[in-house]
Amino acid sequence: MSVYQISIFLENRAGQLAEVTRVLADHSIDMRAISIAEISDYGVLRLIVDDAEKATFILHQHGFILSMTPVSVVSVPDEIGGLAPVLEALAKGHMDVEYMYSLFTHKDGMAYMVFRIEDEAKFAELLRPYRIKLADKDELGLK
């Protein structure tokens, strides 16, 4: 069920983010989510794209340092409190969230949240009583 996120390590200098997005656009790769975190002298850009393998290959060719990481994606009602049951399930299961962010994608009144957690199978089990399922690549239109 995992979706793959690309993590790119960028120097803290003007133009780095623009360069990544231009390379992806020039190769017709569609970004579905983006998150950036600053850590002292560099940043970590996290992306979900429509074709992670193609993007990884192309970004490597352009000299970027990156990795692919499995993440879990959950659909939640796009309404006030829609995320609360997911976080309650994690709290009850004593499961930590390393980080999370949202996808640009919305579908049938649902929003999508990306979670980096330690154990996807446990996460799915914790969500089951809430009738919440992990989204797969097909649902998200990813290759």
Side-chain angles (χ1 to χ4, degrees):
M1 291 273 256
S2 290
V3 169
Y4 283 90
Q5 158 193 281
I6 301 171
S7 298
I8 306 166
F9 302 92
L10 300 175
E11 295 176 46
N12 280 347
R13 65 177 171 83
Q16 284 275 279
L17 189 55
E19 187 178 344
V20 170
T21 59
R22 175 52 45 210
V23 166
L24 295 175
D26 287 349
H27 290 86
S28 301
I29 296 170
D30 187 17
M31 289 191 309
R32 301 295 176 89
I34 186 169
S35 172
I36 191 160
E38 183 180 357
I39 304 172
S40 63
D41 295 333
Y42 65 95
V44 178
L45 174 65
R46 295 182 176 111
L47 299 173
I48 305 287
V49 298
D50 64 339
D51 190 338
E53 288 185 29
K54 178 181 175 184
T56 299
F57 178 77
I58 290 165
L59 290 167
H60 267 135
Q61 283 187 319
H62 283 82
F64 290 101
I65 299 168
L66 55 92
S67 65
M68 281 194 2
T69 308
V71 292
S72 300
V73 179
V74 176
S75 62
V76 298
D78 190 9
E79 60 188 35
I80 295 171
L83 181 60
V86 176
L87 300 178
E88 289 168 2
L90 287 166
K92 285 180 183 176
H94 304 284
M95 192 168 207
D96 291 329
V97 176
E98 287 184 41
Y99 54 82
M100 62 182 263
Y101 55 94
S102 64
L103 265 73
F104 303 142
T105 306
H106 285 73
K107 188 174 176 182
D108 299 327
M110 303 297 278
Y112 292 90
M113 296 299 298
V114 176
F115 287 85
R116 177 67 177 143
I117 43 94
E118 186 174 314
D119 185 340
E120 184 177 70
K122 180 179 177 184
F123 187 32
E125 187 63 32
L126 290 172
L127 295 174
R128 187 166 291 128
Y130 295 88
R131 297 179 189 246
I132 300 169
K133 295 181 180 178
L134 299 178
D136 62 19
K137 290 180 182 182
D138 289 336
E139 181 178 347
L140 298 171
L142 307 176
K143 295 178 184 170

